[in-house]
Amino acid sequence: MLRQTACLLLLSCLAVFSFHPKGILASEGEQDGAVKDISPSGPYSMAIRGVDTVTVGVPYAFTCSASCTPACTFSWRNGNQSSTGAELTLQLKARPPQEVLTCVAINPDTGKTASISKTLVVTVGPSNIMISGPSMLTLGVENNFTCTATCYPSCTFSWNWMWEEEVLGSSSGATLSITPPETVDSETVLCEAMDSVSHLYISTSLQRYVARLTDIYITSPSGLWTVTAGQTFLFTCFVECTPSCTYTWTFEGKTYDNDQIHIPVFHKGEKPMIQVEQEISVAQAHRTEPLTCQAQNTVSGATISATQVLTIINPYSVRPATQGVPMAGKPFSLQCIGSQNPASITWLKNSLPLPVSERLVLSQDNTLLTFSPLMDSDTGTYQCVVNEEIGSIKSIGYEMQVNYGPFKVEIVEAKKGPVGKELTALAGSITALQCVADCYPGCSISWFYNGKMLSRNASISFTPVTPPNQAVLRCVAYDPLTMKNGSAETTVIVPYGPVDVTISGSSSLEVGVKATFTCNAACIPACTYTWSLYGSPVKGSSIDITLNRYVATESISCEAQNSVSGKTATVNDTLTVSDPQWCGC
């Protein structure tokens, strides 16, 4: 509201005179009623009456006066405008760089003039007042508002804030920070902007709700949090919300939007709790599942939620229909328990559809799954899926572990892997070995060396016993449930030799005739052989010699070397030479 006080100052000079046809009579007190002539005078003692400060857009009145005989006439100048008369009405449309009023007085008899000027202070506003701030008030925190207005040279601001008709507080400054109390649901802020020079003011107000979102909880009709898969249950969410909320329920990965709310009537002093009801159909059969109600304040956007964990009773389960433990190579059956509609049953293994085959057979009503026979690959988690009106319900899973083995029995050397058909070990050495077998639940292990029991542990530290330098090491895995065994073996070789190195062949050579010689030694594993002939080495266990000239004798040697221990032994032989063509002369 804009309030303007405009001052119109009018100057009236009153005098009491008596007129006579010949002139102006003397006033009372002059002697004998004598008549005196009054000569023209003035103008002098000029004055402009009116305010010193004007505001753009507001009308103002000014009056010009002067001592003048006879009475003067007046004219005005302000900027590019002019007017006549003792009074001037001024209403500026915009703020000029400078506003100067000039009044000119003219004596109509003498034509003399005089002037006087008045410089005005021009202000603008206040106008365009506006409050900016949050779209709602939040409990427990400071809510900041800012007031702006158009003013020249400047504005001052003052605030009041109230609830209904009750003033809660006041302050000054362009900004306002308020923390709403718990007892109010809305507040009105009022800002007044005043020009610092003209003292004119304008005001505006803004109402904001106090957003409330507290005390949320969920109830069930029975007061219990145990539900059965395949059925529908009604739950109620209570929340204190101002001014309004939207609601979302979440259960089993699905969301439900519920705008149908019931607002009960409370006694004075009670909290205005809003209740929202939602039917939940329990389809997925988990052991536990959270049910969440979330409320979102439509003004503040703030959210609050409550969660109750439901324990879901699964009406369906898979159980063995065959007595005894599942065993590879034998038939076994699983049964779906609890179904009222057998025709709607399917089966899963490890959460994937289970295809039927000649070995996997379903009964006519799909409640019985038979393995004929079981294999170790049948180990896994089995579920039957029952189709209900609200969806498919997976049964409680049955984890079937097939007893099998032993398979793939191996002798393994630590940090090296399977030993293979042969294992070389130095006399007195220690080799870490393990017997590995694919068995469930587990096999007993027995070790045999050279036909004798060595150990009943899966892992052994093996040291060969000599003699012999070559013997069989065998491990046997036995499954007491399947009553089957399997074994793995390796030949342990303990390096020996070379000893007893000999050269076999002719004791003499004939020039031009090839002779073959063989080197032998007692050696485990087999030795390698190197011959020395004519000062040069020749590899191999056998050598062929052909002389092309006659000499009296020829020397040969053979070196045998153990390929594992590196040990060597050498034998030498001297051969006689004959030549039928040689005459000896």
Side-chain angles (χ1 to χ4, degrees):
M1 178 181 71
L2 179 65
R3 183 183 66 186
Q4 171 65 48
T5 303
C7 297
L8 178 62
L9 302 180
L10 303 176
L11 178 63
S12 299
C13 297
L14 303 177
V16 179
F17 294 97
S18 297
F19 289 88
H20 191 274
K22 294 183 179 181
I24 301 174
L25 297 180
S27 62
E28 295 179 5
E30 291 184 347
Q31 299 293 324
D32 302 325
V35 176
K36 294 184 178 180
D37 292 332
I38 298 178
S39 300
S41 63
Y44 56 89
S45 300
M46 293 192 68
I48 296 176
R49 301 294 178 86
V51 298
D52 297 325
T53 300
V54 295
T55 299
V56 173
V58 179
Y60 296 88
F62 297 89
T63 301
C64 187
S65 64
S67 297
C68 195
T69 303
C72 283
T73 61
F74 299 92
S75 64
W76 294 84
R77 295 194 308 274
N78 61 304
N80 296 325
Q81 298 180 1
S82 61
S83 61
T84 59
E87 294 183 358
L88 171 68
T89 299
L90 178 67
Q91 184 175 4
L92 298 178
K93 295 182 179 180
R95 180 180 174 273
Q98 187 179 28
E99 184 67 16
V100 179
L101 301 181
T102 300
C103 175
V104 179
I106 304 173
N107 190 306
D109 286 355
T110 63
K112 291 183 177 181
T113 64
S115 66
I116 187 172
S117 296
K118 183 181 182 68
T119 301
L120 301 178
V121 176
V122 181
T123 64
V124 179
S127 61
N128 302 326
I129 189 170
M130 182 176 64
I131 300 174
S132 60
S135 60
M136 57 84 194
L137 301 179
T138 304
L139 288 171
V141 298
E142 287 189 345
N143 298 263
N144 299 316
F145 295 88
T146 302
C147 189
T148 58
T150 301
C151 290
Y152 184 85
S154 63
C155 275
T156 60
F157 299 93
S158 60
W159 298 84
N160 285 318
W161 61 96
M162 60 199 69
W163 174 52
E164 296 180 348
E165 301 299 327
E166 179 185 356
V167 177
L168 301 177
S170 61
S171 67
S172 60
T175 60
L176 170 67
S177 295
I178 58 173
T179 303
E182 290 279 351
T183 55
V184 303
D185 56 10
S186 68
E187 287 193 31
T188 300
V189 293
L190 185 146
C191 174
E192 182 179 279
M194 176 180 290
D195 189 276
S196 57
V197 173
S198 68
H199 295 160
L200 297 178
Y201 70 86
I202 191 173
S203 65
T204 187
S205 62
L206 189 67
Q207 184 181 24
R208 287 292 181 259
Y209 283 106
V210 179
R212 293 181 181 276
L213 194 58
T214 57
D215 298 337
I216 186 171
Y217 59 92
I218 302 172
T219 65
S220 68
S222 63
L224 301 177
W225 304 105
T226 299
V227 295
T228 302
Q231 299 181 15
T232 301
F233 300 86
L234 180 66
F235 296 93
T236 305
C237 181
F238 291 88
V239 64
E240 181 184 359
C241 180
T242 303
S244 63
C245 277
T246 58
Y247 304 89
T248 303
W249 294 78
T250 305
F251 182 71
E252 289 187 331
K254 299 179 181 179
T255 58
Y256 306 86
D257 295 326
N258 196 326
D259 294 328
Q260 296 181 353
I261 60 176
H262 306 281
I263 305 177
V265 178
F266 288 84
H267 294 289
K268 184 177 181 180
E270 293 182 347
K271 293 181 179 179
M273 301 297 290
I274 301 172
Q275 69 181 54
V276 186
E277 295 181 348
Q278 178 66 50
E279 285 189 346
I280 299 294
S281 298
V282 184
Q284 297 299 322
H286 304 287
R287 292 183 179 177
T288 58
E289 181 73 22
L291 170 65
T292 300
C293 172
Q294 177 179 279
Q296 183 175 34
N297 192 293
T298 55
V299 173
S300 68
T303 60
I304 190 174
S305 63
T307 299
Q308 284 290 348
V309 177
L310 305 183
T311 299
I312 301 176
I313 300 174
N314 197 328
Y316 309 113
S317 62
V318 173
R319 300 177 187 174
T322 303
Q323 291 186 348
V325 297
M327 192 172 299
K330 295 184 178 181
F332 197 82
S333 297
L334 298 176
Q335 187 172 9
C336 183
I337 305 298
S339 173
Q340 302 300 318
N341 186 9
S344 61
I345 295 176
T346 57
W347 287 81
L348 303 176
K349 177 188 176 184
N350 298 331
S351 300
L352 297 175
L354 180 66
V356 296
S357 64
E358 292 183 357
R359 192 177 61 85
L360 277 67
V361 180
L362 285 173
S363 62
Q364 186 175 0
D365 61 3
N366 286 5
T367 60
L368 193 68
L369 172 65
T370 300
F371 301 83
S372 182
L374 275 175
M375 299 177 62
D376 61 310
S377 59
D378 292 326
T379 294
T381 301
Y382 290 83
Q383 294 172 283
C384 59
V385 182
V386 180
N387 295 317
E388 297 284 358
E389 291 183 0
I390 63 172
S392 299
I393 302 175
K394 295 179 182 179
S395 72
I396 299 173
Y398 172 72
E399 295 183 8
M400 183 171 69
Q401 177 63 60
V402 179
N403 295 271
Y404 62 89
F407 302 131
K408 300 179 182 178
V409 183
E410 290 182 313
I411 299 175
V412 177
E413 185 176 357
K415 299 182 181 179
K416 290 186 178 180
V419 297
K421 294 182 178 181
E422 293 183 349
L423 172 64
T424 301
L426 298 177
S429 66
I430 299 175
T431 304
L433 298 175
Q434 185 177 11
C435 186
V436 177
D438 189 3
C439 301
Y440 187 85
C443 286
S444 62
I445 303 297
S446 299
W447 291 87
F448 298 88
Y449 179 57
N450 197 25
K452 296 180 181 180
M453 171 66 73
L454 180 64
S455 174
R456 293 189 183 278
N457 295 322
S459 299
I460 62 171
S461 296
F462 174 73
T463 300
V465 177
T466 56
N469 289 83
Q470 184 170 317
V472 174
L473 176 65
R474 184 167 177 255
C475 79
V476 178
Y478 175 73
D479 189 332
L481 288 177
T482 63
M483 300 180 68
K484 294 181 180 180
N485 58 49
S487 64
E489 62 181 38
T490 185
T491 299
V492 179
I493 299 176
V494 181
Y496 169 76
V499 295
D500 301 331
V501 184
T502 61
I503 297 176
S504 60
S506 176
S507 60
S508 63
L509 296 172
E510 183 179 342
V511 175
V513 178
K514 181 176 72 172
T516 299
F517 299 89
T518 301
C519 189
N520 291 293
C523 194
I524 298 176
C527 280
T528 60
Y529 299 93
T530 303
W531 296 83
S532 179
L533 181 65
Y534 310 133
S536 300
V538 179
K539 299 290 186 179
S541 60
S542 297
I543 187 172
D544 294 330
I545 301 175
T546 303
L547 294 179
N548 56 13
R549 62 181 179 82
Y550 174 77
V551 293
T553 60
E554 184 68 46
S555 297
I556 61 175
S557 67
C558 173
E559 180 187 76
Q561 183 178 31
N562 191 298
S563 58
V564 174
S565 66
K567 292 181 178 181
T568 63
T570 303
V571 62
N572 300 306
D573 197 3
T574 301
L575 307 175
T576 61
V577 180
S578 64
D579 186 356
Q581 305 298 325
W582 186 67
C583 63
C585 54

